[in-house]
Amino acid sequence: MNLKNKALIFFIFIFLSFTAIPEEYKIMSFNIQYGNTKATHLNDSWYNYFTGIVSEVNPDILLVQEIGEANNGIEKVHKALGQSTYGCISTEKYFAHKSYINNGTTYSGFGGSTQNNVVFYKNRKFKAEDLCEKLKFTTPEHTRFPSDFNNFQCIKFTTKDNKTFIVVNAHVRPDGKGFWKMKEGIIHSRDTITLRKLLYEMEKLHPTAGVIAGGDFNYSRAVLTDTWTDGQKLSAEWTVDPGFTPDEYSQAGLGTTYSNGPWDHFICNDLIRVTRDFCIPLKLNSDSKDSYTYVNGKWMKDSEFNRNISDHWPVSISIKY
């Protein structure tokens, strides 16, 4: 090999060394309604459905809402997923059971039961830092980001090639003026506005990091992208459900009819490149209000899904970062 070819190979090697190929990661959000009225049985059948749904996507990061503390709920779900595969960070130590006062305003607790947020992540792919202490979620009366039930999560992930991105796991309480208000696109809860402030703060503190919020927002995409009650919209660098098709928007909120929802979303800043969005397969029955979901090898009516698994479908995205 002559000197010219050796030099060319050397420069190609150097170029490739400093031009990292973006890694692809899958992120799923799933309100599992664990321990609530329709899933109190939590028998083997429930775990089989749950693990089957998750394994279809095989997420690198799984954002879960509504895991109760009763009967070691978090530990049991973690075990079902695989404790050696997934790390686990939860709101268990700061979820508000009792109301609290922050800057003169009272925020609700949830009483004796719990609706923890939990983030599961693949240990071999990330280092994870829970920012709850820095954001003072553990002392809710002092945090700059108070919310009812105090169950926002904010996790800083570092990849193997030392890239960082921020993931917020959100379960936003609706405005409290009735379930149907969530569909009108007029009233936004103060918690939603607090969440937006949190996203902007993360972008400010970590200007080179991608920021993603996922979870159960209790509002439709149309509401989230419209003008909010404080007269503002999400700024231009933020996208709600990037790449999702209209049908896929509708896969994230089971109700009495197909039109109820969706409530579950992803919000990403412009440093996050969404390469794929995917939900579990769904089809409509033309002569019925019921829709059908493909779960563990069979088509299941949404009423059956609601009764046996959850009142939410999961939503997932794939990102390159």
Side-chain angles (χ1 to χ4, degrees):
M1 184 181 294
N2 61 38
L3 186 61
K4 184 177 180 180
N5 288 340
K6 286 183 178 179
L8 180 60
I9 292 171
F10 174 77
F11 283 115
I12 291 173
F13 175 78
I14 294 296
F15 175 79
L16 292 175
S17 298
F18 286 93
T19 310
I21 298 173
E23 187 78 25
E24 191 161 28
Y25 305 107
K26 296 177 184 177
I27 305 175
M28 172 185 271
S29 175
F30 196 1
N31 181 331
I32 64 172
Q33 204 188 24
Y34 186 112
N36 290 344
T37 54
K38 293 171 184 170
T40 51
H41 49 285
L42 296 173
N43 53 27
D44 289 343
S45 175
W46 186 90
Y47 282 106
N48 288 337
Y49 282 131
F50 170 67
T51 55
I53 290 167
V54 172
S55 64
E56 280 290 317
V57 174
N58 189 23
D60 300 298
I61 297 172
L62 172 61
L63 313 180
V64 179
Q65 303 86 43
E66 294 197 37
I67 297 187
E69 291 174 356
N71 301 317
N72 301 313
I74 295 173
E75 182 181 350
K76 286 183 177 180
V77 172
H78 193 189
K79 186 176 180 180
L81 289 170
Q83 291 172 316
S84 62
T85 302
Y86 285 96
C88 174
I89 299 173
S90 80
T91 60
E92 194 171 12
K93 64 182 176 182
Y94 60 84
F95 182 92
H97 292 275
K98 297 180 180 179
S99 62
Y100 65 94
I101 298 174
N102 181 298
N103 197 28
T105 299
T106 300
Y107 292 84
S108 298
F110 201 69
S113 57
T114 310
Q115 289 189 344
N116 277 302
N117 281 357
V118 181
V119 174
F120 299 99
Y121 61 95
K122 287 187 176 177
N123 289 311
R124 62 184 177 82
K125 291 196 173 185
F126 310 104
K127 291 181 181 178
E129 179 187 358
D130 189 351
L131 301 180
C132 66
E133 298 279 355
K134 292 181 179 179
L135 296 169
K136 297 185 178 179
F137 290 160
T138 50
T139 52
E141 64 273 13
H142 301 302
T143 184
R144 292 173 52 219
F145 308 100
S147 63
D148 285 327
F149 313 149
N150 192 43
N151 69 341
F152 287 159
Q153 284 185 282
C154 197
I155 314 294
K156 179 182 177 181
F157 287 101
T158 304
T159 66
K160 283 187 173 181
D161 55 356
N162 286 321
K163 293 181 179 179
T164 60
F165 61 94
I166 308 297
V167 175
V168 176
N169 186 14
H171 188 188
V172 180
R173 193 182 185 193
D175 54 56
K177 295 185 178 181
F179 177 82
W180 300 109
K181 285 289 184 183
M182 295 186 290
K183 298 182 65 175
E184 293 181 359
I186 299 172
I187 297 177
H188 286 72
S189 72
R190 63 186 179 188
D191 286 1
T192 317
I193 294 171
T194 297
L195 175 64
R196 186 183 63 197
K197 292 177 181 177
L198 176 60
L199 294 179
Y200 289 0
E201 180 74 4
M202 290 300 99
E203 192 172 50
K204 178 182 176 181
L205 293 177
H206 308 276
T208 62
V211 183
I212 305 168
D216 175 8
F217 291 81
N218 271 313
Y219 291 99
S220 70
R221 180 180 183 274
V223 173
L224 292 174
T225 55
D226 203 350
T227 302
W228 295 11
T229 50
D230 60 356
Q232 298 184 42
K233 290 185 177 183
L234 280 168
S235 52
E237 68 269 25
W238 296 90
T239 304
V240 180
D241 297 334
F244 277 47
T245 66
D247 283 344
E248 286 166 334
Y249 292 139
S250 301
Q251 289 204 46
L254 282 161
T256 55
T257 69
Y258 175 72
S259 61
N260 281 357
W263 315 134
D264 303 69
H265 308 279
F266 287 100
I267 301 176
C268 305
N269 73 357
D270 54 10
L271 295 180
I272 297 294
R273 178 188 168 198
V274 176
T275 57
R276 184 185 173 198
D277 58 88
F278 44 97
C279 302
I280 54 180
L282 175 73
K283 66 179 180 180
L284 299 180
N285 185 358
S286 59
D287 57 0
S288 164
K289 290 183 177 181
D290 228 335
S291 59
Y292 290 79
T293 307
Y294 195 73
V295 179
N296 293 9
K298 72 170 187 175
W299 287 101
M300 176 186 289
K301 286 186 177 182
D302 72 356
S303 55
E304 186 182 355
F305 191 103
N306 189 312
R307 184 173 60 252
N308 293 310
I309 304 173
S310 177
D311 61 349
H312 290 253
W313 281 295
V315 289
S316 305
I317 56 174
S318 184
I319 67 169
K320 279 193 176 180
Y321 191 72

